[in-house]
């Protein structure tokens, strides 16, 4: 019975066994289109989107748009600037100094002097701890300004920035501040009358590159541990979101950080980023971002001084729903795992595997939840989803929607832009995200007349499914949920790990 229902469901979504829709159905398709195999049905999304309303003026002033080098905000050596854009409208928020190789040289030189000659690595660990604790206090005191910059520059809901990310960044800094005076060496057992001691020391100048999706938290994750250990830092911000990092860097100096210990250079990857990775004066690299860029960074580090590299790259994480799950709870958790931060999260649960016995129910409820998701101005109370980061990412995500449709996945809801300006995209759900194999392409018509064949084909399609669609393989970094069906635990473990 389960196999027959699953086969029937599969054929139904392929447009071969179509029940008559109710009069109030959201389904909109003419009779000719309904008769075609592989038909795609689009459903309207929640009418709560507010992308075309006049955007709310952010309650913050942009104070810092220059490079921070040796404790001073300065122009780029070239004098060039680049625009940072409001993703709600596509309009320019401010022009920011554009760092390049010459500016990286200046920043590394300042960091090297601060490390080799300055007080920071020579302070007691307790003194460094107190500076970082004062910085955490200042972040909390300026919570509203930092959160407003984070949402204005990046498009994330203000409630998320103010209620979650700024407090988390402050807590993270306190965590690393607490480690400063707890980094101990050790005595190693040795043969004979010898004393062997391990002493842990700071590595030197740390080059750090942070992404645009969580610029404030990435600042804390990168800068916090490096400073707690006594290092000096050259930080390159993402060109899309430089504002919050520059603001909190000013607070860190207000907390008592010596000049030159932290240098911030906004700029582009092929210029400022490549120069930082290749610099012979940098002792360590840390990068969060795409897998492709991570490969380039490893190569540049190897070609220069073979500096050690720490990478946190993208992913395509599985979210697995078993047959005994509370479906309503699973739908909500899977929804949050994918759509949080507009889907722009490297650990998003972007492959939703659902057991065949609850698959249909899960798809329908996921559709309903996506349609209830409130899309609009991130400064408006109650908004769950703001715009994507920029026009390039916006086009890339819509390109994945087209790829999913062209590959034969069922577009359950969404898939289009919201409003006429800015970079808003409807919360999107795909079902039947699996490779189209021989059984799915040529045999389904026969199952209408041979019910037993329906069961056999359903079994074979699971066995031969390889999840080869682009939307099942590649990191989309947007609000697109791909729902895949599985039958057995061993199968889903294999597919989740593939």
């Amino acid at each position: 019975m389960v196999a027959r229902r699953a086969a029937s469901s599969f054929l139904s979504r392929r447009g071969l066994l179509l029940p008559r829709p109710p009069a109030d159905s959201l389904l909109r398709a003419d009779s000719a289109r309904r008769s075609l195999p592989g038909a795609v049905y689009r459903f309207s999304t929640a009418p709560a989107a507010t992308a075309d309303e006049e955007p709310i003026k952010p309650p913050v002033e942009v104070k810092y748009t220059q490079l921070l080098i040796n404790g001073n905000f300065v122009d780029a050596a070239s004098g060039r600037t680049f625009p940072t854009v409001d993703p709600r409208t596509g309009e320019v928020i401010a022009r920011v100094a554009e760092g390049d190789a010459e500016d990286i040289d200046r920043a590394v030189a300042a960091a090297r002097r601060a490390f080799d000659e300055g007080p920071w690595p020579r302070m007691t660990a307790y003194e460094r701890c107190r500076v970082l604790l004062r910085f955490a206090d200042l972040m909390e005191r300026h919570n509203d300004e930092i959160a407003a910059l984070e949402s204005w520059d990046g498009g994330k809901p203000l409630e998320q920035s103010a209620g979650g990310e700024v407090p988390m960044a402050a807590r993270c800094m306190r965590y690393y501040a607490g480690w400063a005076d707890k980094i101990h060496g050790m005595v190693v057992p040795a043969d004979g009358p010898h004393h062997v001691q391990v002493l842990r020391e700071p590595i030197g100048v740390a080059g750090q590159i942070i992404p645009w999706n969580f610029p404030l938290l990435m600042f804390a994750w990168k800068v916090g541990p490096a400073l707690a250990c006594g290092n000096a830092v050259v930080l390159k911000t993402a060109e899309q979101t430089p504002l919050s990092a520059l603001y909190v860097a000013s607070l860190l100096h207000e907390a008592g950080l010596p000049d030159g210990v932290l240098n911030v250079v906004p700029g582009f990857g092929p210029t400022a980023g490549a120069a930082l990775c290749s610099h012979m004066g940098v002792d360590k690299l840390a990068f969060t971002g795409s897998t492709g860029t991570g490969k380039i960074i490893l190569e540049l580090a190897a070609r220069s001084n073979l500096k050690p590299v720490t990478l946190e790259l993208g992913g395509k994480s599985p979210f697995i729903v078993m047959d005994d799950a509370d479906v309503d709870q699973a739908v909500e958790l899977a929804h949050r795992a994918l759509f949080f931060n507009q889907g722009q999260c490297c650990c998003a649960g972007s492959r939703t595997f659902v057991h065949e016995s609850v698959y249909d129910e899960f798809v329908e409820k996921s559709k309903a939840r996506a349609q209830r998701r409130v899309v609009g101005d991130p400064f408006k109370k109650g908004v769950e989803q703001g715009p994507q980061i920029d026009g390039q990412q916006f086009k890339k995500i819509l390109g994945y929607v087209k790829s999913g449709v062209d590959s034969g996945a069922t577009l359950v809801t969404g898939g289009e832009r919201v409003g006429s300006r800015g970079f808003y995209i409807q919360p999107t759900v795909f079902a039947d995200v699996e490779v189209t194999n021989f059984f799915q392409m040529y045999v389904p018509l026969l199952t209408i007349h041979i019910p037993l064949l329906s069961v056999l084909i359903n079994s074979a399609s699971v066995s031969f499914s390889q999840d080869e669609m682009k939307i099942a393989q590649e990191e989309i970094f947007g609000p697109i949920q791909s729902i895949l069906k599985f039958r057995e635990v061993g199968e889903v473990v294999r597919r989740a790990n593939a």
Side-chain angles (χ1 to χ4, degrees):
M1 179 64 73
V2 171
R4 180 169 182 172
R5 182 170 63 248
S8 175
S9 168
F10 172 79
L11 293 174
S12 175
R13 273 193 294 275
R14 291 295 184 211
L16 295 173
L17 301 176
L18 290 172
R20 183 181 298 277
D24 61 347
S25 173
L26 292 172
L27 183 62
R28 297 289 181 266
D30 57 39
S31 58
R33 187 179 180 192
R34 284 201 304 268
S35 67
L36 294 174
V40 174
Y41 302 132
R42 295 179 183 270
F43 297 82
S44 63
T45 54
T50 57
D52 279 336
E53 294 180 2
E54 189 63 27
I56 296 171
K57 180 176 174 56
V60 66
E61 177 187 352
V62 178
K63 296 179 180 179
Y64 304 104
T65 58
Q66 295 172 293
L67 316 179
L68 176 61
I69 297 178
N70 201 33
N72 298 306
F73 284 98
V74 297
D75 291 333
S78 67
R80 289 195 300 269
T81 62
F82 65 90
T84 185
V85 173
D86 183 347
R88 302 176 302 166
T89 61
E91 297 172 355
V92 175
I93 299 173
R95 296 198 68 86
V96 178
E98 181 185 337
D100 58 20
E102 185 175 353
D103 302 296
I104 291 294
D105 284 341
R106 296 159 63 197
V108 172
R112 177 55 60 191
R113 286 193 303 272
F115 182 77
D116 290 344
E117 304 169 14
W120 186 248
R122 292 159 189 83
M123 283 183 182
T124 66
Y126 177 66
E127 289 176 303
R128 290 200 302 271
C129 167
R130 293 186 64 189
V131 171
L132 297 180
L133 290 175
R134 286 196 294 270
F135 173 50
D137 291 341
L138 285 170
M139 278 199 290
E140 290 181 338
R141 192 179 307 164
H142 293 272
N143 182 93
D144 293 349
E145 298 100 307
I146 300 169
L149 286 173
E150 191 83 343
S151 292
W152 192 6
D153 215 12
K156 61 186 60 184
L158 182 62
E159 293 174 346
Q160 174 185 324
S161 298
E165 295 188 18
V166 179
M168 287 171 66
R171 181 174 178 176
C172 183
M173 293 305 302
R174 287 199 175 93
Y175 173 83
Y176 287 115
W179 267 109
D181 58 0
K182 300 172 186 65
I183 302 171
H184 304 149
M186 57 186 175
V187 176
V188 181
D191 296 339
H194 307 292
H195 179 81
V196 181
Q197 180 177 336
V198 175
L199 175 65
R200 302 186 187 278
E201 295 183 326
I203 195 168
V205 175
Q208 304 180 334
I209 302 175
I210 59 175
W212 49 258
N213 57 335
F214 293 99
L216 181 64
L217 283 172
M218 294 298 114
F219 179 99
W221 289 12
K222 294 284 188 289
V223 171
L227 294 187
C229 294
N231 296 288
V233 172
V234 177
L235 177 78
K236 191 200 86 68
T237 64
E239 63 270 22
Q240 296 90 341
T241 53
L243 298 182
S244 59
L246 290 169
Y247 186 96
V248 297
S250 73
L251 297 181
L252 190 43
H253 283 81
E254 184 179 336
L257 188 74
D259 292 347
V261 175
L262 172 64
N263 306 271
V264 182
V265 182
F268 296 86
T271 51
L276 183 61
C277 296
S278 301
H279 205 290
M280 297 296 289
V282 174
D283 301 301
K284 166 75 167 62
L285 284 175
F287 168 75
T288 297
S290 72
T291 303
T293 303
K295 293 177 180 179
I296 295 172
I297 287 173
L298 276 178
E299 182 179 354
L300 293 175
R303 286 184 174 181
S304 53
N305 56 347
L306 205 61
K307 58 181 72 66
V309 181
T310 303
L311 301 175
E312 182 197 7
L313 306 178
K316 194 70 174 172
S317 303
F319 187 104
I320 300 172
V321 181
M322 300 301 295
D323 55 346
D324 60 349
D326 179 325
V327 174
D328 291 330
Q329 183 183 34
V331 165
E332 183 61 28
L333 291 174
H335 180 87
R336 295 180 190 177
L338 187 281
F339 290 101
F340 173 67
N341 204 53
Q342 294 70 252
Q344 299 167 157
C345 187
C346 61
C347 57
S350 52
R351 291 183 294 149
T352 307
F353 290 98
V354 181
H355 193 275
E356 63 177 8
S357 65
V358 294
Y359 187 85
D360 292 342
E361 178 185 2
F362 188 94
V363 168
E364 288 304 309
K365 289 183 174 179
S366 294
K367 165 191 162 185
R369 178 63 181 92
Q371 291 177 343
R372 292 195 306 271
R373 187 169 184 81
V374 182
V375 182
D377 189 330
F379 286 92
K380 185 172 183 179
K381 187 176 178 59
V383 164
E384 296 176 275
Q385 180 177 315
Q388 309 308 131
I389 185 64
D390 60 16
Q392 179 179 353
Q393 188 70 10
F394 175 82
K395 293 176 183 177
K396 177 183 175 183
I397 294 167
L398 292 180
Y400 275 109
V401 173
K402 183 178 185 302
S403 171
V405 172
D406 291 346
S407 298
T410 302
L411 181 57
V412 177
T413 189
E416 298 178 353
R417 78 175 302 162
V418 175
S420 60
R421 64 175 174 174
F423 309 123
Y424 296 89
I425 293 179
Q426 293 174 340
T428 301
V429 177
F430 274 104
D432 304 316
V433 182
E434 56 196 14
V435 64
T436 303
N437 56 53
F438 171 83
F439 295 97
Q440 296 167 346
M441 291 175 63
Y442 299 112
V443 186
L445 288 171
L446 300 177
T447 62
I448 300 173
H449 306 291
I450 311 175
L452 179 59
L453 189 57
S454 171
V455 178
L456 296 175
I457 290 172
N458 181 65
S459 176
S461 67
V462 171
S463 300
F464 283 86
S465 178
Q466 299 296 318
D467 307 326
E468 290 178 355
M469 290 184 183
K470 283 181 67 175
I471 60 172
Q473 288 272 325
E474 299 181 10
E475 185 178 33
I476 298 173
F477 232 58
I480 298 178
Q481 183 178 34
S482 299
I483 307 180
L484 305 93
K485 184 189 297 183
F486 75 92
R487 171 171 295 171
E488 298 173 346
V489 173
E491 169 210 342
V492 75
V493 169
R494 173 184 58 78
R495 292 167 66 189
N497 287 328

